[in-house]
Amino acid sequence: MKFQSTAFTAMVATAGHTTSAWMGLLQHQHRQHHSLVSSIPSSVPRSQASFYSTTTSTSLQMAVAKDILDPPQTAATETKQASAAGKPIAKGPIISAFRGGLVAVRVDDDLSTDVVDPEVVDTTQLLPKPKATSNNLGGDLIGRQVQFENGQRGVVIVHRPPVVFVYAEDDGQSSLPAEGTVTVFSNLLSIQVSVDNLQQIDCFGRTKNDFSLLIDNNNTFERPIFAPIPQVKDIALINKPLVTGVTMFDALAPIGKGQNMLLIGHDMEDIRRYVTDILSIQTQQGTKCIYAATGGTEERQLVKGLLASAGLEENVVVVMSQDSDKDDASRAAEATVVAASACAIAESFAKEQGLDTLVIVDNIDQHKKIWDTTTRVLVDEFGVDAVVKGDRDGGASSEMRAFFSSLVQRSAQFKKNRGGGSVTLLLLQSIPKMKSENEEEIIFSPEDFEQSPDKVKERINLLIQRKIPLTAANLRKIQIPVPSADEGMRRLVLQHVDDLISMSDGQIWLDERLEQSGRCPAMDFQRSVTRIGIGADTVSRADAAAMRRVVEGLRLDLSQAESMDGADVATTASKKQMRNAQAWLLAMHQPSASGARKLSESCVAMLAASTGAFNACIDSGMLPGSVEGDTLVRNLLEHVSTEVPEAMSEIDTTQDFTTETKEVITKAIESYFDEK
């Protein structure tokens, strides 16, 4: 997915945008290694030159060049700058308050002159830094510490000039503020946590419900909750796979360490069970895992139960919301801080201890809710013209894209001089179910599409000419929106998901119809992809070399088989194609919470499918999802692991295998079927 230069120019021009926000979208292009253009200064390394050519904006070029020329900063330096006492830079009255801690403040810019971002220090002085003016408040105020008249602290979570939206820190004693003046300080509010006592905390680093900080001066780290996203100078290429233990994910939509990935579906409980499988294998491999549980009490209890049943309570850091009374807007605001704090914790482990980290954000739906809340406040306060049409219609303005980018783009594989660790983000996104029970029985008429675009009407006329009934199922096959209220809501959500996809490094899409057909995971192969490593000119990869060697041509085989759905498959070639697809699906069949597979086990299952070892079993009725099929694959993996443990260990250790190792494993597979 390529971004046009006009989109970036629009983002830069939008009031309230930080350098870090639109740099996130630039970083997204860097990961995919788009081609370079001319007019790039010779001092800019070729690996970073694509950023320079993205837009002709002078301010953007200056910012990018400054980032490249900045000397390395250690994590300790960043912490010192972030935690330093700030000075007042803006203040104003509360204009709207929500039960539970979210307030909107109309800030006065009289205090903003000459404010310098506390995390951006250009010691080279080779390029001038634009001076803050009374119109820009020194830049975006997201993440800045605020203080209320009663002394309570808070943090700016959204800045839409001239209003900042603040989430107040509940101290368990003072009443949450609903009026008065709020002061914004120059420093970024940080989370402080003790590494030794890090298990279940709230978004400010406190233990659940007792409002005490877990501080041990001998082993404590501090990190801005809304730290700016990693810049070009901080990140290295993504070249190490994060093995999920779910064969289908690792084969068709692999995740690289330092990558962000969306996990999309309608069944959040099923998604969470797959997440526990991923966490299980990653904790075994030494990855530091942080779970951002952004939902309400019921969802938090479900998450805790799943982690406990998987034996992960002691191994996963859980950042969750408090149980205090909140309305939906404040709950969404808290969820935004929860996700940011989880990222801050992961960044500390990655930059200060060089660890690989995995952050689960469950789920990103709440970010859309808080954005819609801010839009309503602006409209109520200043009128409908105060926001752009995209926000009014539920779409994605450049401002909203920057807001989401500030989270999505916090993933990174850091360079060695920046700590050497990685932050991988897995962002869960729910979508509404496709239909109500009686919708499939309805046959729509052409009049139902009178308000549709001309292209949709043309396609409707083609269906009528071919005497194809206008049912919901037939409309969805050719991606025509079903004219119903439920479908309209679903279309808005899918539009938002498409916007998120354009910012991400990839997505895994679990489809409702495929789930009903019995596929596990119910992954849509056409919609699921990783964009890390796409293109012949890149050396960046998200997949393991071992898996890459055994799944060549897999996506094509599956696509061809799916295109035959409902067609005549009487020919020998068609039957062979369908059988091959069934063999692949048998190898990849894994119900959620059934246990993660080692990379070696996934490779054995896929190698058996690719060599035709499953063909006779498929012909005899051992299909994907059947008890016989599941037993066959499980016994095969146990047999090969017992017969050639050295070969299996080689794959898990090196994430690759030699030709000799492949031959050894192939013989072990053959010996299993010879014994049957």
Side-chain angles (χ1 to χ4, degrees):
M1 181 74 181
K2 291 188 177 182
F3 293 101
Q4 301 298 322
S5 60
T6 52
F8 288 103
T9 305
M11 285 195 64
V12 175
T14 302
H17 283 193
T18 61
T19 299
S20 61
W22 45 259
M23 278 297 292
L25 298 179
L26 292 174
Q27 175 183 321
H28 174 63
Q29 283 197 321
H30 175 63
R31 294 167 182 238
Q32 299 177 43
H33 282 254
H34 294 315
S35 59
L36 305 179
V37 298
S38 57
S39 303
I40 300 171
S42 59
S43 61
V44 180
R46 298 298 292 177
S47 62
Q48 299 163 341
S50 58
F51 291 92
Y52 226 89
S53 62
T54 306
T55 177
T56 57
S57 169
T58 302
S59 61
L60 178 57
Q61 290 180 352
M62 289 172 59
V64 173
K66 184 186 73 61
D67 289 338
I68 294 172
L69 293 171
D70 265 350
Q73 275 185 309
T74 64
T77 303
E78 290 179 341
T79 298
K80 183 177 179 180
Q81 292 174 345
S83 60
K87 63 179 181 179
I89 58 174
K91 68 186 327 181
I94 296 174
I95 60 174
S96 186
F98 300 83
R99 188 181 75 256
L102 175 65
V103 298
V105 180
R106 182 169 182 168
V107 292
D108 182 357
D109 57 12
D110 289 345
L111 304 177
S112 65
T113 305
D114 297 330
V115 174
V116 178
D117 191 317
E119 282 218 22
V120 179
V121 180
D122 183 10
T123 58
T124 63
Q125 298 182 349
L126 295 178
L127 292 171
K129 179 178 176 63
K131 183 177 180 180
T133 69
S134 61
N135 294 323
N136 65 16
L137 289 170
D140 197 333
L141 299 182
I142 288 180
R144 310 281 178 165
Q145 180 176 329
V146 305
Q147 185 169 323
F148 296 87
E149 288 184 348
N150 65 355
Q152 281 184 266
R153 296 191 312 170
V155 61
V156 177
I157 60 173
V158 181
H159 181 195
R160 302 182 71 176
V163 178
V164 293
F165 295 85
V166 174
Y167 183 66
E169 183 181 55
D170 183 1
D171 60 9
Q173 298 176 354
S174 306
S175 299
L176 294 177
E179 57 184 17
T181 301
V182 176
T183 303
V184 182
F185 292 89
S186 60
N187 64 298
L188 297 172
L189 183 65
S190 294
I191 183 171
Q192 292 181 319
V193 289
S194 171
V195 175
D196 296 331
N197 296 313
L198 194 56
Q199 286 185 16
Q200 292 187 9
I201 56 176
D202 75 354
C203 62
F204 295 109
R206 305 170 302 186
T207 57
K208 189 174 181 292
N209 289 332
D210 68 2
F211 304 101
S212 62
L213 290 172
L214 292 170
I215 297 301
D216 173 4
N217 291 329
N218 294 323
N219 199 9
T220 299
F221 64 74
E222 179 180 359
R223 177 79 177 165
I225 294 174
F226 289 90
I229 62 172
Q231 300 176 10
V232 181
K233 61 187 174 63
D234 301 323
I235 60 176
L237 290 178
I238 294 173
N239 269 320
K240 298 183 295 183
L242 184 140
V243 177
T244 67
V246 183
T247 303
M248 193 177 290
F249 297 170
D250 291 331
L252 290 164
I255 304 175
K257 291 184 177 179
Q259 176 178 345
N260 60 67
M261 179 72 90
L262 299 170
L263 183 49
I264 304 164
H266 76 284
D267 188 344
M268 288 304 297
E269 290 188 23
D270 192 53
I271 288 176
R272 291 184 181 112
R273 287 192 291 268
Y274 278 117
V275 167
T276 60
D277 288 335
I278 297 171
L279 291 172
S280 177
I281 194 168
Q282 281 303 307
T283 54
Q284 293 173 25
Q285 296 179 358
T287 301
K288 195 67 179 179
C289 299
I290 301 95
Y291 201 114
T294 67
T297 302
E298 184 176 342
E299 288 186 333
R300 294 199 309 274
Q301 292 300 324
L302 178 60
V303 168
K304 290 171 64 176
L306 287 172
L307 294 176
S309 63
L312 296 170
E313 281 184 305
E314 303 296 323
N315 300 317
V316 176
V317 179
V318 181
V319 186
M320 60 176 59
S321 54
Q322 291 283 351
D323 288 331
S324 53
D325 184 37
K326 294 177 175 64
D327 60 17
D328 290 343
S330 291
R331 182 68 68 193
E334 185 180 26
T336 303
V337 186
V338 165
S341 293
C343 291
I345 293 170
E347 289 163 355
S348 294
F349 281 117
K351 300 189 75 172
E352 297 185 20
Q353 300 186 24
L355 297 178
D356 290 321
T357 65
L358 170 63
V359 178
I360 308 295
V361 178
D362 179 7
N363 53 46
I364 200 174
D365 299 18
Q366 297 288 347
H367 283 67
K368 185 63 167 64
K369 290 181 182 178
I370 191 61
W371 186 260
D372 291 343
T373 296
T374 67
T375 298
R376 288 194 297 271
V377 170
L378 291 178
V379 171
D380 290 343
E381 186 72 16
F382 304 107
V384 70
D385 292 333
V387 296
V388 298
K389 187 176 184 299
D391 283 329
R392 296 198 302 266
D393 297 341
S397 64
S398 59
E399 193 177 10
M400 190 187 84
R401 291 176 63 85
F403 170 69
F404 277 94
S405 178
S406 65
L407 169 66
V408 173
Q409 296 299 333
R410 284 182 77 167
S411 61
Q413 170 62 61
F414 291 101
K415 291 180 178 178
K416 289 184 178 180
N417 66 343
R418 303 291 177 172
S422 64
V423 176
T424 305
L425 281 180
L426 186 58
L427 307 155
L428 312 189
Q429 168 69 52
S430 66
I431 54 177
K433 290 187 175 182
M434 284 192 300
K435 58 181 179 61
S436 57
E437 290 300 322
N438 60 352
E439 189 179 79
E440 294 302 297
E441 302 173 2
I442 301 174
I443 298 179
F444 298 96
S445 66
E447 289 73 21
D448 294 320
F449 300 89
E450 287 183 352
Q451 304 301 319
S452 301
D454 290 339
K455 289 185 178 180
V456 170
K457 293 179 181 178
E458 291 174 4
R459 296 163 75 186
I460 292 295
N461 290 333
L462 285 175
L463 292 178
I464 295 173
Q465 292 172 13
R466 297 175 182 177
K467 298 183 179 180
I468 299 175
L470 302 179
T471 63
N474 289 335
L475 292 171
R476 290 193 184 96
K477 284 182 179 179
I478 56 175
Q479 297 183 346
I480 292 179
V482 176
S484 68
D486 288 345
E487 190 69 16
M489 180 63 68
R490 176 178 164 83
R491 295 297 298 183
L492 283 176
V493 174
L494 293 180
Q495 176 184 335
H496 174 59
V497 171
D498 285 342
D499 293 327
L500 291 176
I501 287 174
S502 70
M503 302 178 216
S504 71
D505 295 332
Q507 69 278 347
I508 296 170
W509 193 298
L510 303 183
D511 186 84
E512 182 180 350
R513 289 169 297 181
L514 295 174
E515 180 185 58
Q516 294 169 353
S517 72
R519 180 182 295 179
C520 286
M523 179 172 163
D524 187 327
F525 306 137
Q526 296 181 359
R527 286 178 166 177
S528 302
V529 67
T530 183
R531 282 173 283 278
I532 297 297
I534 291 180
D537 61 339
T538 179
V539 295
S540 184
R541 302 291 307 201
D543 55 350
M547 181 63 74
R548 194 184 318 147
R549 295 181 190 279
V550 297
V551 299
E552 185 177 2
L554 170 61
R555 191 177 289 274
L556 177 60
D557 282 351
L558 294 173
S559 297
Q560 289 177 341
E562 287 189 342
S563 67
M564 296 178 185
D565 185 25
D568 181 14
V569 292
T571 65
T572 301
S574 298
K575 289 180 179 179
K576 181 180 179 181
Q577 189 74 48
M578 294 296 290
R579 185 177 64 182
N580 289 344
Q582 290 296 314
W584 286 119
L585 292 174
L586 177 61
M588 294 187 290
H589 186 82
Q590 270 179 280
S592 58
S594 61
R597 291 177 182 173
K598 297 179 181 179
L599 177 61
S600 58
E601 294 173 328
S602 290
C603 288
V604 167
M606 300 301 281
L607 189 58
S610 67
T611 58
F614 288 148
N615 288 353
C617 301
I618 295 294
D619 292 340
S620 65
M622 293 186 182
L623 299 177
S626 66
V627 175
E628 296 81 5
D630 289 345
T631 302
L632 171 71
V633 176
R634 183 172 59 253
N635 291 343
L636 169 64
L637 299 182
E638 291 176 357
H639 172 82
V640 176
S641 296
T642 302
E643 289 292 312
V644 288
E646 297 84 2
M648 299 291 277
S649 178
E650 177 187 328
I651 294 176
D652 292 325
T653 302
T654 67
Q655 298 184 330
D656 200 354
F657 57 78
T658 62
T659 302
E660 293 75 15
T661 300
K662 182 178 180 180
E663 292 176 355
V664 168
I665 293 176
T666 301
K667 289 181 179 179
I669 293 173
E670 292 172 351
S671 69
Y672 172 76
F673 288 98
D674 289 342
E675 295 174 3
K676 290 182 65 66

